[in-house]
Amino acid sequence: MAAATEDGIQRGGLIARVLIYGVLIFAAAYFLLPLYVMLTTSFKTLGQISGGSLLSLPSPWSTEGWSAAWSSACTGGDCTGLHQYFWNSVRFTVPAVLLSTLFGAINGYALTKWRFRGSELIFALLLGGTFVPFQMFLLPMANVLGKLGLANSLAGLTLVHTVYGIAFTTLFCRNYYVSIPDELVKAARIDGAGFFSTFRYVILPLSTPILMVCIIWQFTQIWNDFLFGVVFTSGGSHPITVALNNLVNTSSTGIKRYNVDMAGAIITALPTLVVYMVAGRYFMRGLTAGAVKG
Amino acid sequence: MAVLNIENVSKSFGDTEVLKDINIEMAEGEFLILVGPSGCGKSTLLNMIAGLEPITHGDITLDNLRVNERSPRERNIAMVFQFYALYPNMNVRRNISFGLKMRKVPKGEQATIVDRVAKMLQIENLLDRKPAQLSGGQRQRVAIGRALARDPALFLFDEPLSNLDAKLRVEMRTELKQLHQRLKTAMVYVTHDQIEAMTLGDRIAVMHEGKVQQLGTPREIYDSPANRYVAGFIGSPAMNFITCDLAERDGRRVVQLDSGKGPVDIELTEAQSAAMANHGQSKIVLGLRPEHLAPARESDGQSLDCVIDVVEPTGPDTYLLTRINDTYTTARCTPSVAPAAGDSIALTFDIERAVFFDAESDKRIA
Amino acid sequence: MADSSPNVALLQRWLDRWLPKLSLIPSGLASLIFIYAFIAWTIWLSFTSSSLLPSNNFAGLKEYDVLFQLDIWWVSVANLAIFGVLYVAFCLAIGLFLAILLDQKIRAEGWLRTIYLYPLALSLVVTGVVWKWMLNPSLGLEHVVQSLGWTGFSFDWLIDPNMAIYTVVIAAVWQASGFVTALFLAGLRGIDSSIIKAAQMDGASLPRVYLSIIIPSLRPVFFSAVILLVSLAIKSFDLVIALTGGGPGYSTWVPAIFMYDFGFNRGQIGLGAAAATLMMAAVALAMLPMLFAELKERRDGRSH
Ligand SMILES: Nc1ncnc2c1ncn2[C@@H]1O[C@H](COP(=O)(O)OP(=O)(O)OP(=O)(O)O)[C@@H](O)[C@H]1O
Ligand SMILES: [Mg+2]
């Protein structure tokens, strides 16, 4: 594809080439601008913000926004910064990511390598959840969490995120596992391995690419979630996204502290950004590894 | 004592019946071949013996024990697959010992067994490699090693050589035969290659459309095929089938053959005539292998003048194509006496080796 | 196999047979309850007169009646329509444009792709917060342009009830268009280059090749991108909350906010459930074309 059109463009000449690069770089600047603004603003003092330009660099650099965002800014009721909420998010995101990935992998394995009458139906059943707006689940879930005594708790959020993540992880894993030859599982069964030992010794070691996909996807989804957090928790058990929104939108003190807002935004965004930077390429690779072979 | 007994076994996937009423009994130490075209159900039958597929109907017994409900791990069998199915994440040593580990064989014993198997298959130098670092032939050796390590009562092979190139295939074939002679363990071997079937098997089961068409020794299958399908499947080039008129002359049956120069009567043997005594139809299919149709020498008896259309040298033999009764027919000769295309030449029939099939049911009559 | 204990062997055999099915039970049960039962429950609630607490007083279509009388609901629907159409259109246009440019053997493609895609890793709350700051009428981009000398420049959409919904479009498009670019790029890479070569041999110009061969063959990518974007648009909630809080007034409300506010803040569970049900219906409606296309594809595929 690329090779074919390249000839055409090169015939178009240098001007076209320069134009293309120009547009692409402009687009990159457009995508980067908010990140730049976030970063520079977070290191400015309030005086620099109201006096200077949005695009200017901080001088001098100040970390006052950062320390306030982390440990003293007001998020609605209390004024202890975001740190407590950051750890809240870690505490339900990590188990929910691991649990939903584990279940997805086992489901994908059972659905592709131990097919039985009705397994396609179960797959369809599990997938049904992917496109239903979460708003359909909020009212009953609030009720059920209340009855289970899990309302306003991190355990409740873990449950919610695990349950609604399984559809995605199952889909990813199933599509990947169909590309693993069935003969491997047959060989393992002949060798005396049962359902779980085949999974543990044969399938799991081959699953790294798709487990990366599941973990990256689930981590991003769950960490960034706002809806479940705002509906099912309150006060001290909010996740960081809700706390950030409270920090930005409910401060009643009069002056907006944009440096604190931006530092808070970066703190909220940092974990998923880091995951994207470090592991983003595994995401695309893992997804296509399954698709190409399957 | 039967190592394996397959009784009235059939198998359906949903509504389609892929195996119909299979009956095979296998003696200890026997090398049994399942051969047939793609899709005839060979792998399915093998998987049922292994316990990988449930049995729809009938019984399978291993060592006189009914195993229908048993999972693979409860059956004393080992299996080698077409695409090797080596565990990609384990090195060769761990591939071979995985079955032992799953069966909780002590570590020290595992190592001894791996070393013995590796020595037997000459793969000692490969033990620390991953499957991806092996050639196709080496992979197949490891796969066989994995089966050997278990020392089972029965080996199952599902087209183990079909992925190898022609030369390697012949080498491995010989090695497998030697292996069997040494181990004397029963083996069921699936292939769609009739040469593999003939060279390896003590007995061959020819399968077609989910049925065993014939079960017998290679000689029986080759010389006395049960029906036209078996006759055509085994042997290369394939047996010639010539539909001809059946007549009677001087109390002997004769078939009429015409190579374009007018019909010639070929007289059948007494035994053949006798077998056809009750055959009421006037048509019959003559089955004649190419090696039984050759250029005539002076001394030969019945012969037919034919025009050679095509000459196909293969090296050791040369094949001649001619038309008899409007059917292309292959004859075999040694290269030194081969005629040229277009030549007219007398072909002689080794009628004693010919077989005859009912024109309608395709069953062998004589 | 000589098993020491027949009971162990029996259990073993039973497990071999049932474990694959048993292993699916937790997820299967969870989806039966948390997805299907909940859907039914919400639909049922929408037919009751539940207010502060869920009740079982069947009220027929009353809640829907009330809903359709509410000005605020129609504002939400209109906002969603405006937002949805612009969001999908801009994402597709920018995505396709950038993907075609990126597909011209660009040297730094990997870097550019990373930059285009990173906003997707950000939560919509963060996106809303940062755009709220950038679009700030006195200190944000307006101020930047003014200080460039264009002193009359004014950009106060964020506080203009008639324009605020467009700021949501701006932020949402920024967040998702890189992702759409990646989708299109993958689609372009999947096109058989020999077709294009053949067309060029026939003397077709490059724009022609794109218009009449390449873009039409990206149909499936268009399809899945539209489906994804539409369902994202219908669910949009976090971004609006963080960017405008639904304001000024309720000028940027969308159905998701309506559902949340009525269902949880105003104690009108029946209305909230009705709104949620309509949202699901909207998603289903958006999915139908894809389902039909998929079915048709399968039927055609089988006939070969
Ligand atoms: N899981 C299954 N579901 C439905 N039909 C199946 C299944 N497995 C096999 N079949 C069908 O059963 C028939 C026999 O298949 P089998 O794999 O046993 O053939 P085979 O003789 O081994 O062929 P080959 O030489 O190609 O390996 C085929 O028609 C196949 O389509
Ligand atoms: Mg097979």
Side-chain angles (χ1 to χ4, degrees), chain B residues 308-321:
Chain B
I308 305 302
D309 290 328
V310 180
V311 177
E312 290 178 342
T314 63
D317 302 308
T318 296
Y319 294 101
L320 312 172
L321 259 72

Side-chain angles (χ1 to χ4, degrees), chain B residues 59-305:
Chain B
D59 289 321
I60 290 182
T61 49
L62 289 169
D63 277 331
N64 298 326
L65 204 68
R66 185 170 175 279
V67 293
N68 285 31
E69 272 80 40
R70 297 196 162 205
S71 60
R73 77 168 107 184
E74 298 174 282
R75 305 182 185 201
N76 199 3
I77 44 122
M79 188 161 171
V80 177
F81 297 88
Q82 178 174 5
F83 295 98
Y84 325 120
L86 298 178
Y87 310 120
N89 54 308
M90 306 181 195
N91 64 19
V92 169
R93 184 188 301 280
R94 289 185 53 216
N95 259 285
I96 294 177
S97 60
F98 184 68
L100 304 171
K101 177 174 162 181
M102 287 296 110
R103 286 180 159 79
K104 308 211 166 56
V105 174
K107 274 252 158 61
E109 205 175 315
Q110 284 183 27
T112 325
I113 294 174
V114 171
D115 288 340
R116 179 172 53 83
V117 167
K119 201 161 161 217
M120 197 186 307
L121 293 167
Q122 293 157 355
I123 49 174
E124 293 120 306
N125 54 332
L126 306 178
L127 284 177
D128 293 318
R129 294 210 203 157
K130 291 273 180 73
Q133 301 165 307
L134 302 177
S135 71
Q138 290 170 331
R139 281 181 213 184
Q140 200 49 273
R141 267 167 205 277
V142 175
I144 292 170
R146 189 168 60 181
L148 287 182
R150 293 264 326 286
D151 193 22
L154 178 64
F155 284 103
L156 306 175
F157 292 90
D158 193 352
E159 310 199 22
L161 306 184
S162 60
N163 261 340
L164 306 179
D165 65 54
K167 186 164 168 289
L168 205 53
R169 193 146 68 204
V170 175
E171 283 173 24
M172 287 295 287
R173 198 169 74 199
T174 315
E175 276 194 51
L176 268 178
K177 188 149 192 170
Q178 287 172 335
L179 193 69
H180 176 245
Q181 282 161 2
R182 183 138 44 116
L183 295 173
K184 299 193 172 56
T185 309
M187 296 183 175
V188 182
Y189 187 101
V190 165
T191 178
H192 56 242
D193 180 324
Q194 45 104 10
I195 301 193
E196 252 171 48
M198 293 295 287
T199 48
L200 287 174
D202 292 327
R203 280 195 306 159
I204 299 175
V206 182
M207 295 177 60
H208 181 49
E209 291 177 342
K211 283 196 200 125
V212 174
Q213 304 286 330
Q214 187 173 6
L215 175 62
T217 64
R219 273 257 72 83
E220 284 164 8
I221 301 264
Y222 193 76
D223 291 339
S224 327
N227 57 39
R228 194 170 153 174
Y229 181 80
V230 174
F233 190 80
I234 300 286
S236 170
M239 181 185 270
N240 298 302
F241 297 108
I242 307 167
T243 309
C244 39
D245 286 326
L246 190 62
E248 189 146 349
R249 184 144 318 150
D250 308 334
R252 269 286 178 88
R253 294 272 178 149
V254 296
V255 289
Q256 293 182 331
L257 297 179
D258 184 355
S259 59
K261 299 173 178 169
V264 172
D265 286 349
I266 302 285
E267 205 170 88
L268 306 190
T269 65
E270 246 172 278
Q272 288 165 344
S273 294
M276 267 173 232
N278 297 323
H279 187 71
Q281 291 147 357
S282 62
K283 292 271 183 209
I284 198 159
V285 177
L286 162 67
L288 196 63
R289 297 207 180 269
E291 64 263 33
H292 302 140
L293 181 66
R297 279 162 288 156
E298 301 289 328
S299 54
D300 288 329
Q302 313 188 72
S303 66
L304 185 67
D305 278 332

Side-chain angles (χ1 to χ4, degrees), chain C residues 18-191:
Chain C
W18 289 102
L19 266 182
K21 287 153 205 164
L22 288 175
S23 75
L24 290 168
I25 285 183
S27 306
L29 218 57
S31 70
L32 274 183
I33 295 170
F34 293 106
I35 295 175
Y36 298 98
F38 277 16
I39 290 175
W41 192 348
T42 301
I43 294 176
W44 164 249
L45 283 176
S46 76
F47 291 125
T48 65
S49 55
S50 305
S51 51
L52 214 52
L53 289 170
S55 82
N56 284 333
N57 303 327
F58 184 74
L61 294 172
K62 194 190 117 229
E63 300 290 339
Y64 290 91
D65 252 358
V66 175
L67 188 72
F68 292 150
Q69 308 279 327
L70 281 174
D71 188 35
I72 199 167
W73 168 252
W74 291 113
V75 170
S76 303
V77 171
N79 277 335
L80 176 59
I82 296 171
F83 169 70
V85 167
L86 292 177
Y87 172 64
V88 173
F90 274 107
C91 280
L92 287 180
I94 295 176
L96 181 61
F97 180 63
L98 289 180
I100 288 177
L101 292 190
L102 268 184
D103 196 33
Q104 310 298 334
K105 282 250 161 142
I106 296 304
R107 200 158 301 150
E109 190 204 306
W111 279 97
L112 289 171
R113 238 181 16 203
T114 309
I115 291 172
Y116 294 179
L117 207 50
Y118 89 87
L120 199 73
L122 299 185
S123 74
L124 285 161
V125 175
V126 170
T127 307
V129 166
V130 64
W131 279 96
K132 186 190 178 95
W133 165 225
M134 301 221 309
L135 296 176
N136 182 300
S138 51
L139 294 170
L141 289 171
E142 181 188 89
H143 180 73
V144 172
V145 176
Q146 281 172 352
S147 65
L148 286 176
W150 192 355
T151 44
F153 181 79
S154 145
F155 192 80
D156 58 356
W157 287 4
L158 207 52
I159 50 167
D160 179 346
N162 291 320
M163 301 307 281
I165 189 67
Y166 299 101
T167 63
V168 181
V169 175
I170 293 174
V173 167
W174 173 82
Q175 205 246 359
S177 50
F179 172 61
V180 180
T181 306
L183 283 182
F184 276 122
L185 193 59
L188 285 170
R189 294 283 149 83
I191 295 176

